Amino acid sequence: MRFTTQVKSISYLKANAADMLDKLAEQREPVLITQNGEARAVLQDVASYEEMQETLALLKLLALGQQDIDAGRHEPVDVAFDRVLASKRRAGQDLEAAEAASARPAPLRAARSTKPRAKPAV
């Protein structure tokens, strides 16, 4: 990405803000905003910004993964899969036990008294 084609002064931005926003949405290229001849900000459309944030998040995950590898916090893939499958089997057994427990008949309750209740005083 080259900023040389999309450089505008802050004065231009102030005078043509609506047009610049339309062009940003159409072209999806950031615009470098200058003030007194120096780069001061970058103006970017929302869709491009969101895509960039998602890309940065993925790159951060990759970097964190590389740090784990470098620090020795990893295991062979077959060991990891065996651990995950064992966990799923335990969860399945726990689910089966819970379903079996809920299928048991409820314990019998004591029979209700046949005495009539006292009427509340008015």
Side-chain angles (χ1 to χ4, degrees), residues 6 72 115 122:
Q6 295 291 328
K115 292 182 185 177
V122 181

Side-chain angles (χ1 to χ4, degrees), residues 1-9 12 20 23-24 27-34 43:
M1 168 175 36
R2 307 192 108 211
F3 288 115
T4 56
T5 60
Q6 295 291 328
V7 179
K8 301 292 180 190
S9 69
Y12 182 88
M20 285 192 67
K23 286 181 184 177
L24 279 173
Q27 297 175 357
R28 298 194 60 187
E29 289 185 14
V31 176
L32 184 66
I33 305 299
T34 62
L43 189 59

